[in-house]
Amino acid sequence: MKVITLKSRFKILAIFLCVLCFACNNNSYKEDVMANEVEISKDFEIAESEKIISKYKTDQSNIPLNLKIIKSANARYKVKNVKEATYKIKAIAQKHGAYISDLRFQNDLYKKENRFTIKVPQKYFDIVMDSVNAVVDFVEYENITTKDVTEEYIDLETRLKTKLEVKARYESILRKNAKTVEDILKTEDKLRIIQEEIESAQGRLKYLTNKVSFSTIQIDLYESVDYVEEPENYTKTFLDKSKEGVSNGWFFIEAFIIVLINIWPLLIVGITAYIFIRKRRRK
């Protein structure tokens, strides 16, 4: 029995060692597999990122450079002093080749407000907006809009080119082939219509060019003031009465001098008559 027990113990130990070795080999295999999977996933992510970057570069290269964009902005700001802020913004505009197209100042019991429009070259649009933000104290709102008119611009240029070619052909017909008065009148009528269309297209192109070249920024500046109730009755001070008296006295002097200038013939006649009568009485 002891021999059998010893053999069984050896068998159990051998089986245990085999199982342990197998388990160790299995774990190392899993670790190798996991490492390989991580390396593959990293390579895959790098490849995908390179694809995205290359695609972005391709998309950027396809963007046309000569876009016709009309930019405009509408903003309202709060400042400490409206006059000082307006002066600074005007200086910023002049520095970047811009100008003030219109200006409206308003003052009431609650606030002072100044509204004006800046026409700024498109390349300085963002710079001027950032510079204005550095001057003001609080941004109430800023609305910036862009309008792409590239398609309309190119279409107008193409149509204009075609109409100029048609006009040149009609002028050639008028010089060479129009023999009768009827043919000349018909050709001139066609030329008149084409010329009107050409002028209309040129005017629209000029308008779009100006809108694209100069962006519009409308700015509202306001300054809060302490509310002061408007008095119902106003009593003039001594100084006000004195100023008014001086003004009225000067007005009467001017009126008297003007009256004398207007009646100078009567004055001459009266003085002459007085001198004549006085001499008669002395005699």
Side-chain angles (χ1 to χ4, degrees):
M1 291 294 293
K2 290 181 178 179
V3 174
I4 294 170
T5 304
L6 185 61
K7 288 182 178 180
S8 61
R9 288 180 178 177
F10 276 114
K11 287 181 179 180
I12 292 170
L13 182 60
I15 293 169
F16 178 75
L17 291 173
C18 291
V19 172
L20 184 61
C21 291
F22 179 76
C24 291
N25 292 330
N26 193 17
N27 288 333
S28 63
Y29 174 73
K30 287 183 178 179
E31 290 176 358
D32 293 337
V33 171
M34 290 298 292
N36 291 333
E37 287 180 355
V38 171
E39 291 176 359
I40 292 171
S41 62
K42 286 183 178 178
D43 294 338
F44 179 75
E45 290 177 358
I46 293 170
E48 286 296 319
S49 62
E50 288 179 353
K51 286 182 181 178
I52 293 171
I53 293 170
S54 62
K55 183 179 179 182
Y56 176 75
K57 288 181 178 179
T58 304
D59 294 339
Q60 289 292 102
S61 62
N62 291 332
I63 297 175
L65 298 176
N66 194 20
L67 288 175
K68 302 298 180 181
I69 305 295
I70 299 175
K71 286 186 177 181
S72 60
N74 187 6
R76 182 174 173 84
Y77 305 109
K78 182 179 180 181
V79 295
K80 292 180 181 178
N81 190 301
V82 168
K83 290 185 177 180
E84 290 182 1
T86 303
Y87 176 79
K88 292 179 181 178
I89 293 174
K90 284 183 178 180
I92 292 170
Q94 293 175 358
K95 180 179 178 182
H96 296 93
Y99 64 94
I100 307 296
S101 62
D102 57 77
L103 188 146
R104 187 186 68 184
F105 179 78
Q106 183 178 355
N107 187 8
D108 55 30
L109 299 176
Y110 301 94
K111 64 180 181 299
K112 295 179 182 179
E113 187 172 0
N114 198 7
R115 172 178 291 184
F116 52 92
T117 302
I118 302 175
K119 296 290 186 179
V120 57
Q122 190 189 67
K123 61 181 179 180
Y124 297 125
F125 178 83
D126 295 328
I127 298 175
V128 171
M129 289 295 294
D130 294 338
S131 301
V132 171
N133 278 327
V135 171
V136 302
D137 297 325
F138 176 74
V139 179
E140 187 168 317
Y141 64 81
E142 276 184 353
N143 298 323
I144 299 175
T145 58
T146 58
K147 183 179 180 182
D148 189 355
V149 294
T150 307
E151 184 178 355
E152 182 183 1
Y153 196 91
I154 294 174
D155 183 65
L156 283 171
E157 284 185 331
T158 306
R159 290 175 180 269
L160 182 61
K161 183 179 178 181
T162 303
K163 291 182 185 299
L164 289 172
E165 292 174 355
V166 173
K167 179 186 176 184
R169 287 199 296 268
Y170 272 110
E171 289 175 346
S172 178
I173 291 171
L174 184 62
R175 288 193 303 268
K176 297 178 181 179
N177 299 332
K179 303 298 181 181
T180 63
V181 175
E182 185 179 359
D183 292 339
I184 293 172
L185 292 176
K186 286 182 179 180
T187 306
E188 288 180 347
D189 188 59
K190 293 288 185 181
L191 280 171
R192 179 184 58 80
I193 296 172
I194 292 173
Q195 183 62 34
E196 291 177 355
E197 294 175 352
I198 289 172
E199 291 176 356
S200 177
Q202 288 175 340
R204 181 62 181 173
L205 274 175
K206 185 177 181 181
Y207 170 78
L208 291 177
T209 302
N210 291 334
K211 295 292 284 185
V212 169
S213 300
F214 280 85
S215 301
T216 302
I217 303 175
Q218 183 173 309
I219 295 177
D220 290 347
L221 299 178
Y222 71 94
E223 168 193 351
S224 298
V225 297
D226 296 332
Y227 175 75
V228 178
E229 187 175 357
E230 189 175 0
E232 296 180 359
N233 297 321
Y234 175 70
T235 303
K236 294 181 180 180
T237 62
F238 176 77
L239 183 61
D240 293 334
K241 291 179 180 179
S242 301
K243 290 180 180 179
E244 188 176 353
V246 172
S247 177
N248 292 335
W250 179 251
F251 172 77
F252 286 128
I253 292 173
E254 287 182 344
F256 179 72
I257 294 173
I258 291 172
V259 169
L260 292 179
I261 292 173
N262 288 326
I263 63 172
W264 67 269
L266 297 177
L267 291 175
I268 293 175
V269 172
I271 292 171
T272 305
Y274 174 75
I275 293 172
F276 178 76
I277 293 170
R278 190 175 180 181
K279 288 182 179 181
R280 292 290 299 267
R281 285 181 178 180
R282 286 181 179 179
K283 289 181 180 180

